[in-house]
Amino acid sequence: MKNSSFPINAHDEDRLGFSSFAKRVAQGILNYEQQEAFVISIEGKWGSGKTSLVNLIENEIQEEVEVMRFNPWLVADLHQVVKLFFDELITVLSRTSFDVKWNEQIKKDIKTLVSVIAPENVSVSTGMLSATWKLKPKSSPSKTQSLEAIKKSINGYLQGLKRKIVIIIDDIDRLTDKETEFIFRLVKGIADFDNVIYLLLYDKEIVARSLETFKKESGEKYLEKIVQYPLCVPKPHNVTLHGVLHEKLDAILARVKEDRRKVFFDKYKWEHVIRDIVPKYILTMRDVYLLEGTLSFEYPIIAQDVNFTDFFLLSLLKIKNNRLYSEIRDDFSQCVVSPSWNLLDKDKIKKEFETMTQRHLVFGNVLNLLFPMLDSSEFAYGQGFSNKDHGDKYLADPYYFENYFAFSVSDDKLSYGEFRETEKLFQGDDFEVFKQAFLHLYEAKKGAFFIEMANKITLIHSKKEEQKNTFYNAIKMHEYFRVKNKDSTIETPLDSLFLHFSKKMLSNMNNEEFMVAFFTDNVKSATPLWVKMDIFVIMEGYEEEAKQRVHQYLKEKLALLDFWAFLKEEEIFRSVLVNREEFQEKLDQIKEEFKKLIFKDKETFFAIVKGGMYKESISNSKEFCKLMIDLKEIETYIESLDEDLLTEEENELLQLWKGQPKQRPHERKRFFK
């Protein structure tokens, strides 16, 4: 497959409309009838298509002229340049018809001419002529023969040619200053032979600056003395150039999608890219090809864990300003802000970002699109906090930043592929299989990331038949982690994250019949009462009448629990206390029962104190009792107790009541045997 960054060679490969221009230039060359050497320049920036254009010109003229391609950039030094130039010239001459035969005189003329230019060994070899000379340093023409006479002799042979010679010299703008000056001296002062037309390819700005190193005058004025017919590479229409770019980008994205990988793409930001970025920075086919090469190789590797729009912008910086690209890559801290950081941190980063933008002002609009939260200029747009979720995978998201440079996801992060595999189980009807898969992520510290991504992906894209499974799997995981971690000294948010996911999924379903059935049908759902209470208090999106039906059902179920059952059911106890506004009736009922029981006898008193110990949402029994009664009444009762008649366990409970240090989870088990 042809590399699209290579110059084109045929008209059917022409995407930029060079063909008609090439034909007109070719016709001008063929119409040139003068015998004197003629110098044409094809000028354009690197990547503007100079070589492609001259290839098209060559196609048009090669049947009627002899073409010699010469690239001095490929030669090691000036001595080799001279050797190669005349070697290739003789090769061309050997293919051309003469009115006179080759003889020893042309060997002598070439020997003498080359000895003036390159004081070293010179070899020329063709099928017709082979010669090697050992030249003396700083040799010069004989006293009896001037340089002009030598050239006149050579021209005598060249005037007998039936076909002109077109010498194409490419990549002049890649040479050193000394080499550049020598090439123009060679063209205009040494090898300006009759019947020769030169086509010189270069970036005029670079070459003019290089020539000024040796010339006292302006480099451009010097070029005007040498080049008789300057031509500029036609600037392709933006529509054409950008059409090629979009075609190549579409092909890259299509290959990613064919592999069944998701493409994350910010359409709103892309509108800014098309309007403000592409016209300013994508100016030549070289730009298009470099971007295509970078994106086609790097993007598919990490496609599912970056945003394509940001990856495009970063790749643009990589080929246009690698120093800025490296600065972003190597100093994450000067351009990425986390919402959790304090104002001082954010202000510091904003100042560092402004300093970086000033250093690279030309690319300020690219930086402000990549890091919009740090921007205060006209290029900002309403992205908001980039790292608020896992739905966009922006460069400015601290979680995804490194992916853009490592082209991989580190072991402590959740890749999109891992997420999709687990999500399929999340949407399935086998909870145990999903639980094991999720616990595997949990052990790898990726559990919270999964839920965050599910909030942005699964909630939005789940099909109706998958929603119920996902809902039930989420509430079962909420129950699992709530029970699993109730005695843990390390707080985990996973139970809460799953709870809120359940609430959102229930709202998204917008199915009143299912909602009511879930809360009221214990057989099918097998969901504990406290889980239903947790979901109910945060439920949204349903009519008030339906919510009232559910609320009434939950209150009726609570009413069946007497004081001791309520005290024993820790999770229900917690839910009522936390959500007392919704379940105030039950709390009032418990208070009445509490007041009747608390002072019934010593055994009942200590049973209640022990039952209220280490409940979630309260720190100790004193706080629990404070919710039920005036503590002065309990203090009075405690003073009436004879500590000598109390058991060891009862005395320990009193110590805790009086403010002694709490026991650790493993120590409190003795109270709940």
Side-chain angles (χ1 to χ4, degrees):
M1 183 177 69
K2 177 180 173 61
N3 188 325
S4 61
S5 64
F6 290 166
I8 64 172
N9 293 294
H11 291 294
D12 58 5
E13 299 172 0
D14 179 24
R15 301 294 307 277
L16 301 179
F18 282 177
S19 294
S20 59
F21 183 77
K23 289 177 180 179
R24 290 197 296 272
V25 175
Q27 193 60 49
I29 292 173
L30 296 177
N31 290 343
Y32 183 70
E33 297 180 351
Q34 306 297 322
Q35 285 195 331
E36 292 82 4
F38 189 62
V39 181
I40 301 171
S41 65
I42 296 180
E43 302 168 358
K45 299 287 186 182
W46 285 351
S48 60
K50 297 186 295 294
T51 305
S52 293
L53 177 59
V54 86
N55 288 345
L56 297 178
I57 294 172
E58 182 180 353
N59 287 343
E60 296 293 324
I61 64 176
Q62 60 187 351
E63 297 298 326
E64 300 184 47
V65 301
E66 293 295 336
V67 178
M68 169 181 158
R69 301 295 292 252
F70 180 63
N71 194 326
W73 188 57
L74 303 176
V75 186
D77 55 52
L78 292 180
H79 302 146
Q80 290 297 316
V81 168
V82 174
K83 174 191 177 301
L84 182 62
F85 180 85
F86 284 100
D87 197 5
E88 293 187 7
L89 178 59
I90 289 179
T91 301
V92 172
L93 290 173
S94 71
R95 301 195 303 260
T96 308
S97 299
F98 280 86
D99 290 336
V100 294
K101 295 182 180 180
W102 284 84
N103 54 45
E104 291 299 318
Q105 184 61 45
I106 195 170
K107 295 180 183 179
K108 180 180 177 181
D109 290 342
I110 293 175
K111 169 188 172 182
T112 305
L113 181 64
V114 174
S115 69
V116 176
I117 305 166
E120 296 225 353
N121 288 335
V122 175
S123 299
V124 286
S125 177
T126 71
M128 296 180 61
L129 176 66
S130 179
T132 301
W133 300 284
K134 178 69 175 180
L135 303 175
K136 295 180 180 180
K138 299 182 180 180
S139 58
S140 60
S142 66
K143 296 180 181 180
T144 59
Q145 191 178 27
S146 68
L147 182 59
E148 290 300 323
I150 300 171
K151 291 176 62 178
K152 183 177 180 180
S153 177
I154 294 174
N155 279 335
Y157 291 102
L158 297 179
Q159 288 169 2
L161 294 177
K162 293 181 179 179
R163 294 156 63 96
K164 288 187 179 294
I165 298 174
V166 176
I167 300 177
I168 300 171
I169 304 181
D170 201 352
D171 291 329
I172 299 175
D173 46 18
R174 296 174 183 262
L175 303 176
T176 65
D177 295 341
K178 183 178 180 181
E179 292 167 344
T180 301
E181 191 270 342
F182 177 78
I183 287 298
F184 282 99
R185 206 154 43 85
L186 177 69
V187 168
K188 195 61 176 177
I190 301 171
D192 54 337
F193 301 124
D194 289 346
N195 265 335
V196 172
I197 296 175
Y198 283 96
L199 278 176
L200 310 180
L201 281 61
Y202 53 79
D203 182 326
K204 184 175 182 178
E205 182 180 345
I206 294 174
V207 167
R209 189 167 57 245
S210 183
L211 289 172
E212 287 175 359
T213 306
F214 293 90
K215 306 299 176 184
K216 295 180 180 180
E217 62 183 330
S218 161
E220 291 192 13
K221 288 185 178 180
Y222 180 75
L223 285 173
E224 290 173 4
K225 295 177 182 179
I226 296 176
V227 177
Q228 293 149 289
Y229 190 40
L231 293 171
C232 291
V233 176
K235 184 181 183 300
H237 290 290
N238 282 341
V239 173
T240 303
L241 187 66
H242 301 159
V244 175
L245 173 64
H246 295 154
E247 179 182 305
K248 295 185 178 300
L249 296 181
D250 286 342
I252 293 170
L253 295 176
R255 289 195 294 272
V256 172
K257 292 176 181 178
E258 284 173 3
D259 293 337
R260 296 185 177 182
R261 287 178 289 167
K262 184 176 176 62
V263 171
F264 292 88
F265 184 81
D266 185 334
K267 292 182 179 179
Y268 182 64
K269 185 187 288 194
W270 188 251
E271 292 176 6
H272 289 259
V273 172
I274 295 302
R275 186 185 69 234
D276 302 326
I277 304 300
V278 169
K280 183 175 180 180
Y281 302 102
I282 308 300
L283 304 176
T284 68
M285 281 300 294
R286 176 184 174 85
D287 295 333
V288 173
Y289 293 145
L290 287 175
L291 263 175
E292 178 198 18
T294 299
L295 290 168
S296 62
F297 179 77
E298 296 177 352
Y299 174 69
I301 300 173
I302 195 65
Q304 295 188 114
D305 295 287
V306 296
N307 187 290
F308 176 80
T309 311
D310 277 7
F311 200 87
F312 174 89
L313 289 170
L314 194 64
S315 299
L316 179 65
L317 289 183
K318 188 175 184 180
I319 67 171
K320 286 287 187 175
N321 189 336
N322 193 262
R323 180 180 176 185
L324 174 56
Y325 170 87
S326 300
E327 193 172 332
I328 294 171
R329 178 196 62 199
D330 298 336
D331 195 355
F332 156 96
S333 64
Q334 68 178 332
C335 49
V336 175
V337 177
S338 172
S340 62
W341 293 352
N342 61 47
L343 291 176
L344 290 176
D345 289 332
K346 294 175 184 177
D347 287 343
K348 178 184 176 184
I349 291 178
K350 283 196 173 187
K351 289 178 182 177
E352 291 178 350
F353 179 77
E354 289 170 3
T355 301
M356 180 174 68
T357 303
Q358 287 300 314
R359 286 197 304 272
H360 305 280
L361 197 57
V362 174
F363 293 92
N365 49 353
V366 177
L367 289 172
N368 293 328
L369 277 174
L370 286 171
F371 306 104
M373 284 306 297
L374 300 175
D375 176 38
S376 58
S377 76
E378 60 186 302
F379 299 106
Y381 84 108
Q383 179 177 304
F385 254 121
S386 302
N387 51 1
K388 64 183 182 300
D389 55 57
H390 290 262
D392 297 310
K393 308 181 189 298
Y394 292 122
L395 175 69
D397 185 335
Y399 183 81
Y400 288 97
F401 180 87
E402 292 182 348
N403 296 354
Y404 284 80
F405 304 98
F407 308 126
S408 62
V409 180
S410 62
D411 292 339
D412 62 344
K413 294 180 180 178
L414 181 66
S415 72
Y416 187 75
E418 285 181 290
F419 167 76
R420 290 297 303 209
E421 291 178 6
T422 310
E423 183 196 39
K424 289 179 182 178
L425 303 177
F426 194 20
Q427 296 170 326
D429 58 4
D430 192 329
F431 170 70
E432 288 301 321
V433 173
F434 165 66
K435 185 176 80 169
Q436 293 306 314
F438 181 82
L439 290 179
H440 178 73
L441 296 181
Y442 173 71
E443 293 298 326
K445 312 298 183 185
K446 301 179 183 181
F449 295 132
F450 174 83
I451 304 174
E452 289 179 39
M453 293 173 73
N455 273 292
K456 288 297 174 182
I457 301 172
T458 313
L459 276 175
I460 298 172
H461 300 292
S462 287
K463 298 176 182 178
K464 288 185 177 180
E465 58 268 24
E466 299 168 340
Q467 290 178 333
K468 293 181 182 179
N469 290 337
T470 309
F471 171 75
Y472 278 122
N473 284 334
I475 60 176
K476 288 176 182 177
M477 289 305 298
H478 165 60
E479 177 185 354
Y480 171 82
F481 278 105
R482 171 60 69 184
V483 174
K484 179 179 184 297
N485 294 288
K486 68 180 180 180
D487 290 330
S488 174
T489 56
I490 302 176
E491 184 179 354
T492 175
L494 288 178
D495 57 335
S496 177
L497 291 176
F498 272 116
L499 174 64
H500 283 271
F501 179 91
S502 303
K503 180 263 295 188
K504 292 177 183 177
M505 180 59 79
L506 193 61
S507 298
N508 282 4
M509 291 168 68
N510 196 25
N511 185 330
E512 184 175 305
E513 181 180 354
F514 173 80
M515 184 272 291
V516 173
F518 161 70
F519 282 105
T520 60
D521 190 340
N522 287 320
V523 177
K524 289 185 179 180
S525 69
T527 303
L529 179 62
W530 60 267
V531 175
K532 294 181 178 181
M533 293 167 66
D534 285 348
I535 295 176
F536 170 76
V537 296
I538 59 174
M539 190 175 65
E540 299 173 351
Y542 287 91
E543 296 293 335
E544 191 62 31
E545 182 180 346
K547 293 177 71 173
Q548 286 296 332
R549 288 173 57 192
V550 171
H551 193 194
Q552 184 59 37
Y553 169 82
L554 294 176
K555 289 192 292 184
E556 290 173 358
K557 296 293 290 184
L558 284 173
L560 298 176
L561 299 175
D562 64 11
F563 176 81
W564 295 109
F566 176 78
L567 203 60
K568 183 179 180 181
E569 295 286 346
E570 259 188 276
E571 297 300 335
I572 294 178
F573 178 95
R574 176 196 60 81
S575 293
V576 170
L577 291 183
V578 171
N579 306 301
R580 64 189 68 178
E581 183 177 343
E582 287 80 6
F583 303 108
Q584 187 63 46
E585 292 180 19
K586 182 60 181 179
L587 195 56
D588 292 341
Q589 174 192 336
I590 295 302
K591 285 182 179 181
E592 291 300 319
E593 292 187 46
F594 177 91
K595 291 176 181 178
K596 293 178 181 178
L597 293 169
I598 187 67
F599 303 129
K600 179 180 178 182
D601 50 50
K602 179 172 68 73
E603 288 73 22
T604 303
F605 174 80
F606 280 107
I608 292 175
V609 170
K610 185 172 70 172
M613 197 70 66
Y614 304 109
K615 298 296 185 184
E616 293 204 29
S617 302
I618 59 173
S619 61
N620 53 42
S621 282
K622 184 180 289 188
E623 291 190 16
F624 166 65
C625 293
K626 187 177 180 180
L627 294 170
M628 305 293 166
I629 197 173
D630 187 338
L631 289 183
K632 291 181 180 179
E633 296 184 44
I634 296 181
E635 296 291 348
T636 301
Y637 179 78
I638 290 175
E639 290 176 2
S640 68
L641 295 175
D642 186 345
E643 294 186 8
D644 293 335
L645 300 177
L646 299 180
T647 65
E648 180 182 354
E649 180 179 332
E650 290 171 343
N651 273 308
E652 288 185 17
L653 285 170
L654 286 183
Q655 287 179 0
L656 290 171
W657 177 274
K658 294 175 181 178
Q660 297 297 322
K662 281 188 174 185
Q663 293 163 302
R664 300 299 179 190
H666 69 277
E667 295 174 322
R668 61 174 93 147
K669 290 180 181 177
R670 60 177 297 182
F671 295 118
F672 296 96
K673 292 179 180 178

